[in-house]
mmCIF file of all heavy atoms in Angstrom:
data_model
loop_
_atom_site.group_PDB
_atom_site.id
_atom_site.type_symbol
_atom_site.label_atom_id
_atom_site.label_comp_id
_atom_site.label_asym_id
_atom_site.label_seq_id
_atom_site.Cartn_x
_atom_site.Cartn_y
_atom_site.Cartn_z
ATOM 1 N N GLY A 844 -1.524 71.373 4.432
ATOM 2 C CA GLY A 844 -0.290 70.734 3.967
ATOM 3 C C GLY A 844 0.944 71.505 4.376
ATOM 4 O O GLY A 844 1.964 70.920 4.754
ATOM 5 N N LEU A 845 0.859 72.840 4.320
ATOM 6 C CA LEU A 845 1.999 73.655 4.750
ATOM 7 C C LEU A 845 2.219 73.545 6.253
ATOM 8 O O LEU A 845 3.362 73.496 6.714
ATOM 9 C CB LEU A 845 1.783 75.114 4.339
ATOM 10 C CG LEU A 845 1.847 75.396 2.831
ATOM 11 C CD1 LEU A 845 1.456 76.835 2.534
ATOM 12 C CD2 LEU A 845 3.233 75.089 2.291
ATOM 13 N N LEU A 846 1.121 73.513 7.011
ATOM 14 C CA LEU A 846 1.254 73.387 8.473
ATOM 15 C C LEU A 846 1.820 72.037 8.882
ATOM 16 O O LEU A 846 2.603 71.948 9.824
ATOM 17 C CB LEU A 846 -0.097 73.619 9.154
ATOM 18 C CG LEU A 846 -0.615 75.054 9.135
ATOM 19 C CD1 LEU A 846 -2.037 75.111 9.698
ATOM 20 C CD2 LEU A 846 0.306 75.960 9.930
ATOM 21 N N SER A 847 1.415 70.979 8.179
ATOM 22 C CA SER A 847 1.889 69.643 8.549
ATOM 23 C C SER A 847 3.127 69.228 7.749
ATOM 24 O O SER A 847 3.561 68.083 7.860
ATOM 25 C CB SER A 847 0.777 68.617 8.330
ATOM 26 O OG SER A 847 0.452 68.523 6.963
ATOM 27 N N HIS A 848 3.647 70.142 6.927
ATOM 28 C CA HIS A 848 4.831 69.872 6.104
ATOM 29 C C HIS A 848 4.608 68.666 5.192
ATOM 30 O O HIS A 848 5.501 67.844 5.011
ATOM 31 C CB HIS A 848 6.079 69.657 6.964
ATOM 32 C CG HIS A 848 6.374 70.813 7.862
ATOM 33 N ND1 HIS A 848 6.804 72.024 7.374
ATOM 34 C CD2 HIS A 848 6.263 70.951 9.212
ATOM 35 C CE1 HIS A 848 6.966 72.854 8.390
ATOM 36 N NE2 HIS A 848 6.634 72.241 9.512
ATOM 37 N N SER A 849 3.404 68.575 4.638
ATOM 38 C CA SER A 849 3.055 67.460 3.756
ATOM 39 C C SER A 849 3.025 67.957 2.308
ATOM 40 O O SER A 849 2.123 68.688 1.910
ATOM 41 C CB SER A 849 1.680 66.893 4.150
ATOM 42 O OG SER A 849 1.255 65.960 3.193
ATOM 43 N N THR A 850 4.003 67.548 1.558
ATOM 44 C CA THR A 850 4.069 67.934 0.152
ATOM 45 C C THR A 850 2.876 67.377 -0.613
ATOM 46 O O THR A 850 2.332 68.033 -1.498
ATOM 47 C CB THR A 850 5.369 67.410 -0.477
ATOM 48 O OG1 THR A 850 6.466 67.829 0.326
ATOM 49 C CG2 THR A 850 5.547 67.907 -1.887
ATOM 50 N N ARG A 851 2.454 66.181 -0.243
ATOM 51 C CA ARG A 851 1.317 65.537 -0.908
ATOM 52 C C ARG A 851 0.055 66.384 -0.766
ATOM 53 O O ARG A 851 -0.680 66.595 -1.730
ATOM 54 C CB ARG A 851 1.099 64.147 -0.318
ATOM 55 C CG ARG A 851 0.008 63.370 -0.996
ATOM 56 C CD ARG A 851 -0.109 61.952 -0.407
ATOM 57 N NE ARG A 851 -1.490 61.603 -0.385
ATOM 58 C CZ ARG A 851 -2.255 61.527 0.687
ATOM 59 N NH1 ARG A 851 -1.738 61.728 1.876
ATOM 60 N NH2 ARG A 851 -3.516 61.210 0.608
ATOM 61 N N ASP A 852 -0.218 66.886 0.439
ATOM 62 C CA ASP A 852 -1.407 67.706 0.650
ATOM 63 C C ASP A 852 -1.331 69.023 -0.113
ATOM 64 O O ASP A 852 -2.336 69.502 -0.647
ATOM 65 C CB ASP A 852 -1.600 67.982 2.150
ATOM 66 C CG ASP A 852 -2.103 66.762 2.901
ATOM 67 O OD1 ASP A 852 -2.501 65.788 2.238
ATOM 68 O OD2 ASP A 852 -2.087 66.791 4.144
ATOM 69 N N VAL A 853 -0.158 69.605 -0.186
ATOM 70 C CA VAL A 853 0.014 70.857 -0.943
ATOM 71 C C VAL A 853 -0.255 70.606 -2.425
ATOM 72 O O VAL A 853 -0.965 71.378 -3.077
ATOM 73 C CB VAL A 853 1.424 71.447 -0.712
ATOM 74 C CG1 VAL A 853 1.674 72.616 -1.637
ATOM 75 C CG2 VAL A 853 1.601 71.861 0.734
ATOM 76 N N VAL A 854 0.296 69.511 -2.956
ATOM 77 C CA VAL A 854 0.102 69.187 -4.368
ATOM 78 C C VAL A 854 -1.366 68.884 -4.650
ATOM 79 O O VAL A 854 -1.935 69.353 -5.653
ATOM 80 C CB VAL A 854 1.010 68.009 -4.792
ATOM 81 C CG1 VAL A 854 0.662 67.511 -6.176
ATOM 82 C CG2 VAL A 854 2.460 68.430 -4.737
ATOM 83 N N LEU A 855 -2.030 68.111 -3.780
ATOM 84 C CA LEU A 855 -3.441 67.804 -3.978
ATOM 85 C C LEU A 855 -4.305 69.063 -3.906
ATOM 86 O O LEU A 855 -5.233 69.240 -4.697
ATOM 87 C CB LEU A 855 -3.918 66.788 -2.933
ATOM 88 C CG LEU A 855 -3.485 65.353 -3.154
ATOM 89 C CD1 LEU A 855 -3.901 64.486 -1.970
ATOM 90 C CD2 LEU A 855 -4.076 64.801 -4.431
ATOM 91 N N GLY A 856 -3.997 69.943 -2.972
ATOM 92 C CA GLY A 856 -4.739 71.192 -2.870
ATOM 93 C C GLY A 856 -4.566 72.067 -4.094
ATOM 94 O O GLY A 856 -5.531 72.637 -4.618
#
Side-chain angles (χ1 to χ4, degrees):
L845 291 173
L846 289 173
S847 64
H848 303 291
S849 171
T850 307
R851 184 177 144 253
D852 286 349
V853 172
V854 171
L855 284 174

